Amino acid sequence: MNDVPWLKDQVSFLEKKGLNVTVFKIPNFSILKKVKAIISLRSLLFKKKFQIVHAHWGQNSIFAFTTKSPLITTYHGSDLQGDVNENGFVTFKGVVTIFLSRISTLISNYNIFVSKRLINSAPKKVINKKNYIIPMGFDSNLFKPKDKQEAKQKLGLESKIKYILFAGNFSQPVKRFSLAERVMDELDDKFKLIKLNFAAHHQMSTYMNASDVLLMTSYQEGSPVIIKEALACNLSVVSTDVGDVKEMIKKVPGSFISKNNKPVMIAKMIRKSVAINSKVSNYNKMLKHSSTAMNYKVLSIYKGIFNRKGCLNGAI
């Protein structure tokens, strides 16, 4: 949970609202540790009665399923779309993940999708179930407009250079960093790319306020929080057409969606975005996408379940 800021924020929010929350993490990088965690999870679900079980990422719901408690599953994109390799093809692991996640959409009592587009990846039978569109929100206290030159000085960046901030961990194939590199080849030396790899979350706001454009070149996304964070900092976005990015940047001056994904065209959009240099503040408009606003929507689902079960509070 410490690696996922929005999830940590959601748990903290729910606890402040009086809910007793138990967090259980299933590791991704070790098969042995994953198996041990699944066994421990099944044991916990057998011994303890929870009013709600809420699983994040569809593949985890298979192991969290219990007939004793209503199951809510939140799908984030990679679970229903699958991991991809450097060529954009779904990996074997991705195929397995998609299969498990599609089953999860059928066994879950409530499905939460982070974007409308993601529902299209679910089985048709799911359409008649209780589905919700609730994206992950951004921290509105951390991500807000700040003076660009002060942010550049804080990071030791050059004042006259136009900085392009790469959206996401450049080592993940799904982020398609190679396309970003080809885009930069189309730009002159007045532009520089900032690539971040597991940078501290509290530093991201400074990087965004110091940059001129956020560049997203991903093969696929669910509802990337980094887009909302950038817009809240008045940072323009140039992105491939993934997830709900098109919806997020609609009517935002200086932000563009690339449909053909040609480096020369994306570079053209970046130059156009920098030339527009919009001074319009997006912060207040983005508040409806804040973590607080999204967490209240999740809490509303919980309360509906609690009311039907005849209890005011519960454990999840």
Side-chain angles (χ1 to χ4, degrees):
M1 186 179 67
N2 293 333
D3 298 331
V4 189
W6 54 257
L7 183 54
K8 183 177 180 180
D9 181 78
Q10 188 172 97
V11 170
S12 177
F13 172 88
L14 294 172
E15 289 178 332
K16 290 178 181 178
K17 295 301 179 181
L19 275 68
N20 180 15
V21 182
T22 298
V23 177
F24 193 98
K25 183 177 181 179
I26 299 178
N28 290 320
F29 302 107
S30 168
I31 295 179
L32 180 59
K33 289 182 178 180
K34 182 186 287 287
V35 172
K36 288 182 177 179
I38 292 171
I39 293 173
S40 297
L41 174 60
R42 299 306 305 168
S43 176
L44 177 63
L45 292 171
F46 177 78
K47 294 177 181 178
K48 189 173 180 180
K49 175 65 182 294
F50 293 92
Q51 299 296 329
I52 296 172
V53 174
H54 188 169
H56 284 269
W57 289 276
Q59 66 270 26
N60 293 329
S61 285
I62 298 293
F63 313 115
F65 177 78
T66 172
T67 57
K68 297 191 298 183
S69 310
L71 175 63
I72 302 173
T73 304
T74 295
Y75 304 89
H76 293 272
S78 61
D79 39 17
L80 284 170
Q81 297 172 333
D83 294 325
V84 299
N85 58 25
E86 294 179 355
N87 297 316
F89 295 108
V90 178
T91 63
F92 174 75
K93 177 183 177 183
V95 171
V96 174
T97 299
I98 291 172
F99 176 73
L100 294 176
S101 298
R102 285 174 68 86
I103 293 176
S104 294
T105 63
L106 300 174
I107 65 174
S108 296
N109 301 97
Y110 306 86
N111 291 312
I112 298 176
F113 301 90
V114 297
S115 68
K116 294 179 181 178
R117 179 179 290 187
L118 198 56
I119 295 182
N120 296 330
S121 300
K124 292 182 179 180
K125 292 181 179 179
V126 175
I127 296 175
N128 297 323
K129 298 191 70 173
K130 294 180 179 178
N131 301 318
Y132 302 88
I133 308 297
I134 306 179
M136 296 299 102
F138 74 99
D139 185 343
S140 57
N141 292 318
L142 177 60
F143 293 91
K144 57 181 60 177
K146 298 176 184 176
D147 183 80
K148 182 180 293 291
Q149 291 305 320
E150 288 184 7
K152 283 188 172 183
Q153 290 177 5
K154 189 172 183 178
L155 296 172
L157 302 178
E158 298 177 58
S159 60
K160 295 183 179 181
I161 293 293
K162 300 299 181 182
Y163 288 96
I164 314 303
L165 183 63
F166 182 70
N169 175 7
F170 70 91
S171 64
Q172 294 180 344
V174 71
K175 302 300 181 181
R176 199 164 28 171
F177 181 66
S178 59
L179 176 56
E181 290 182 308
R182 295 198 299 274
V183 170
M184 295 308 297
D185 289 339
E186 299 291 335
L187 298 169
D188 58 38
D189 55 9
K190 294 179 181 179
F191 295 84
K192 287 188 177 180
L193 184 68
I194 298 178
K195 58 181 182 179
L196 303 172
N197 196 9
F198 298 111
H201 190 243
H202 68 273
Q203 293 181 317
M204 289 300 296
S205 176
T206 304
Y207 277 103
M208 288 178 176
N209 277 285
S211 301
D212 296 276
V213 177
L214 179 80
L215 175 61
M216 174 167 281
T217 53
S218 300
Y219 283 110
Q220 60 190 30
E221 295 281 348
S223 177
V225 178
I226 195 170
I227 296 295
K228 300 154 198 166
E229 293 170 341
L231 294 175
C233 294
N234 292 340
L235 178 61
S236 298
V237 172
V238 172
S239 174
T240 49
D241 189 8
V242 291
D244 61 355
V245 179
K246 183 188 294 184
E247 182 182 344
M248 288 293 106
I249 69 170
K250 189 177 182 180
K251 297 182 180 180
V252 176
S255 292
F256 303 98
I257 290 289
S258 171
K259 294 184 178 180
N260 59 31
N261 301 331
K262 294 181 179 179
V264 64
M265 296 303 297
I266 297 176
K268 184 177 180 180
M269 289 179 178
I270 289 176
R271 285 192 289 266
K272 186 176 180 180
S273 177
V274 171
I276 290 175
N277 191 23
S278 175
K279 298 297 183 181
V280 178
S281 176
N282 299 311
Y283 180 75
N284 290 334
K285 296 179 183 178
M286 293 306 298
L287 287 178
K288 64 181 179 181
H289 302 292
S290 69
S291 57
T292 299
M294 297 302 104
N295 291 337
Y296 266 113
K297 291 186 177 182
V298 174
L299 180 62
S300 177
I301 298 175
Y302 290 177
K303 285 184 175 180
I305 296 173
F306 293 151
N307 290 336
R308 284 188 286 274
K309 294 172 68 70
C311 56
L312 295 177
N313 291 311
I316 60 173

